[in-house]
Amino acid sequence: MTDRASLANTVAVILAAGQGTRMKSALPKVLHSIAGRPLVFFPVRAALDAGCSDVIVVVGHGRGDVEAYLRATFGDRVKTAIQAEQRGTGDAARAALVAIRPDAQRVLVFYGDVPLLTADDLASVAHKLDTEPDATLALATCSLAEPFGYGRVLRNASGYVVAIREQKDLASDDERACTEINPGIYASSLSFLRDALACLKPNNAQGELYLTDIVAYAAGLGLRVAAVPSRADVLAGVNDRRQLIEAETTLLGRIADRWRLAGVTVRAGARIDDGVELAPDAVIETGVVLRGKTRVGPGAIIDVGCVLTNVVVDDGAVLKPYSVLTDATVGARAQVGPFSHLRPDSHIAEDSHVGNFVELKKTTMAKGAKANHLAYLGDGIIGEGANIGAGTIFCNYDGFLKHTTVIEKGAFIGSDSQLVAPVTVGEGAYVGTGTTVTRDVPKDALALSRVRQENKEGYAAKLRAKLKAAKAAQPR
Ligand code: UD1
Ligand code: CA
């Protein structure tokens, strides 16, 4: 792991001002979601994890939204610098210079569209600057069988790195054949960076100021550029949506493996976003999607196809297939589904049951309460051990306002009942099947509103004979 203290006087500069034209999107590229977080989250977290003393993100395109996200997520741990016009990565790095403390020992510059990079990747480039004799600039490199689109690392006859050539500027077959690419992590002193950036010229196919030209600048002065080889898959840049999904697949695979090694059974085909927490012996079946701040407790089972967003599931709870839960909590040993829908602000306590085709919205169920089949329970407070029969509806909305239904402890709501809120069913009361409850039901009372049953003996047989005769009399 990274030695955090060693990067204490290192400033991280993350370039995130570009539009991301190749995404073909109204959303700035670095806000596109990957494993449940905007792209830019990952490089920022890597810098913070590496222990960088300052993290500066260069913003430009869509900067209001990017800044708002960074502030909400990282607070004052991250500063921003503004690149008003996007004139290339070198120009973006220049825009950061004003925000860098003049006493910074070292600057790490990297890109905001590289979500797979980790604190260790940053630390190894920073350390190379210290350990390689006479190195003025250190940079990551890697070899790719298909290097198309990346800047190529050019070396001289002695093997020293002398330049980076962008795809559009490749000048010879030799350059095109080069498979050593620039993943884009650079470490140098602040003074070198400042001098090198000052000398950039837009002499290239795109007419931009390229950050990569600091390499040729160093080599031209006879200064040493040190290369840090890294694994090919870890530093992939995201420029279009195909690359977004490729990087996401790698990231989700890492996340799933981390939980597997921590004692969670995560089946193939489950998707666990960054930020989700799982306890040992939880089982996450195939097709499950866990998002946001979801937490799953020890031994809980999330069966096939469940989708959980910001849900807390306590120990030993079982979510049967295809249940959808959002901003909800599930108590220990509770059972949910199959096909249950817990909408925001629904909280079911330990040992409660919510069964198939039951929808909860802003409803709490106390310990051991049950609603096993076909119900809409909106704006409800359901007491301990209460039983809600099949087909029950809490009529919570009068067209203007929402009202609360209270079912007290141990009450029994017969099937196919409607509770017209606001209404309270007292402790231990019974509501007869098919009742429309419009007034409060006292403790231990029975509420009934249905019509008394009448049986007409022989009526059905007589009716059938009459209808049969009528049909026979019809012209063919
Ligand atoms: C860049 C490198 C390339 C490298 C690749 C690695 C340059 C010139 N090229 O190319 O050598 O192989 O990354 O992924 O640096 N940005 C700004 N302001 C700008 C332009 C870009 O802040 O004016 C930001 C973007 O938001 C993005 C990052 O810089 O996060 C990289 O820009 P991008 O256009 O994606 O560069 P690449 O073509 O991928
Ligand atoms: Ca890129």
Side-chain angles (χ1 to χ4, degrees):
M1 260 320 282
T2 322
D3 176 5
R4 293 173 61 98
S6 62
L7 293 192
N9 206 358
T10 302
V11 175
V13 171
I14 302 172
L15 309 184
Q19 180 182 353
T21 324
R22 291 165 276 182
M23 297 297 280
K24 305 199 164 108
S25 175
L27 190 68
K29 174 165 75 176
V30 293
L31 292 185
H32 274 260
S33 169
I34 173 163
R37 311 250 198 210
L39 262 176
V40 72
F41 171 86
F42 295 95
V44 171
R45 181 171 66 184
L48 292 170
D49 282 354
C52 292
S53 55
D54 301 78
V55 178
I56 299 164
V57 181
V58 180
V59 295
H61 182 80
R63 73 171 187 251
D65 292 340
V66 180
E67 277 179 320
Y69 167 73
L70 292 171
R71 208 175 310 114
T73 309
F74 297 105
D76 57 12
R77 290 186 295 161
V78 172
K79 288 194 275 187
T80 53
I82 295 167
Q83 184 195 22
E85 236 182 284
Q86 283 71 63
R87 290 183 302 185
T89 51
D91 181 63
R94 271 187 192 173
L97 289 173
V98 288
I100 301 178
R101 285 185 292 112
D103 63 340
Q105 268 172 18
R106 198 159 45 189
V107 185
L108 266 171
V109 185
F110 49 102
Y111 302 124
D113 63 353
V114 186
L116 299 175
L117 72 77
T118 64
D120 288 341
D121 298 318
L122 297 176
S124 57
V125 177
H127 288 154
K128 188 75 170 178
L129 198 61
D130 299 340
T131 52
E132 179 98 350
D134 304 326
T136 297
L137 174 64
L139 53 92
T141 82
C142 68
S143 288
L144 283 187
E146 290 184 28
F148 186 88
Y150 287 97
R152 310 300 159 78
V153 176
L154 306 184
R155 294 178 181 257
N156 65 15
S158 318
Y160 291 117
V161 175
V162 292
I164 292 173
R165 189 85 75 233
E166 291 305 298
Q167 177 73 41
K168 287 183 178 153
D169 300 297
L170 293 176
S172 66
D173 287 345
D174 271 0
E175 287 181 6
R176 272 184 282 274
C178 172
T179 54
E180 185 177 12
I181 65 105
N182 167 37
I185 305 175
Y186 317 84
S188 74
S189 66
L190 174 57
S191 60
F192 168 80
L193 184 67
R194 192 176 274 132
D195 293 348
L197 292 177
C199 293
L200 296 180
K201 298 271 178 333
N203 298 333
N204 53 59
Q206 304 188 78
E208 290 186 349
L209 296 178
Y210 286 169
L211 173 59
T212 42
D213 286 347
I214 65 175
V215 175
Y217 172 83
L221 294 175
L223 300 170
R224 181 76 177 276
V225 179
V228 185
S230 64
R231 284 185 297 133
D233 67 320
V234 298
L235 295 168
V238 171
N239 300 308
D240 57 33
R241 295 189 202 226
R242 192 177 45 86
Q243 290 172 328
L244 179 82
I245 300 310
E246 273 170 18
E248 184 175 64
T249 304
T250 304
L251 197 49
L252 291 172
R254 278 188 201 171
I255 293 170
D257 278 346
R258 182 160 60 85
W259 290 121
R260 288 170 181 137
L261 295 176
V264 181
T265 297
V266 179
R267 303 279 181 215
R271 177 194 166 111
I272 301 161
D273 277 353
D274 190 82
V276 168
E277 300 277 344
L278 308 175
D281 283 331
V283 178
I284 313 299
E285 286 292 347
T286 192
V288 167
V289 179
L290 304 180
R291 298 178 178 145
K293 297 194 172 89
T294 294
R295 311 259 175 280
V296 179
I301 298 172
I302 316 296
D303 213 333
V304 175
C306 289
V307 180
L308 276 60
T309 309
N310 303 321
V311 176
V312 177
V313 180
D314 285 343
D315 315 16
V318 177
L319 273 58
K320 296 176 193 167
Y322 303 106
S323 295
V324 177
L325 293 80
T326 305
D327 300 328
T329 60
V330 176
R333 301 172 305 280
Q335 296 204 19
V336 175
F339 302 104
S340 298
H341 189 188
L342 269 61
R343 291 170 49 202
D345 215 1
S346 292
H347 306 281
I348 68 166
E350 63 263 40
D351 303 311
S352 58
H353 290 185
V354 172
N356 29 197
F357 307 107
V358 174
E359 173 184 354
L360 266 65
K361 194 252 354 185
K362 217 175 169 187
T363 286
T364 59
M365 283 176 74
K367 182 176 178 177
K370 294 186 172 64
N372 274 329
H373 333 265
L374 295 169
Y376 172 62
L377 311 175
D379 299 289
I381 301 170
I382 300 169
E384 197 175 317
N387 194 312
I388 312 291
T392 297
I393 292 175
F394 289 1
C395 309
N396 58 330
Y397 186 47
D398 58 16
F400 294 92
L401 294 171
K402 302 283 170 68
H403 302 281
T404 304
T405 299
V406 179
I407 309 294
E408 291 184 351
K409 187 173 170 180
F412 182 97
I413 311 300
S415 297
D416 196 24
S417 296
Q418 305 91 49
L419 293 106
V420 183
V423 73
T424 297
V425 177
E427 190 177 328
Y430 261 69
V431 169
T433 294
T435 293
T436 302
V437 179
T438 53
R439 286 182 291 129
D440 290 353
V441 182
K443 179 171 189 254
D444 291 327
L446 167 68
L448 268 183
S449 72
R450 58 177 191 253
V451 177
R452 187 173 290 275
Q453 182 172 331
E454 201 184 330
N455 289 338
K456 300 194 174 180
E457 293 290 340
Y459 183 92
K462 271 187 241 163
L463 180 67
R464 255 193 313 272
K466 193 168 129 189
L467 293 174
K468 201 172 166 187
K471 192 174 177 191
Q474 261 180 9
R476 295 265 157 132

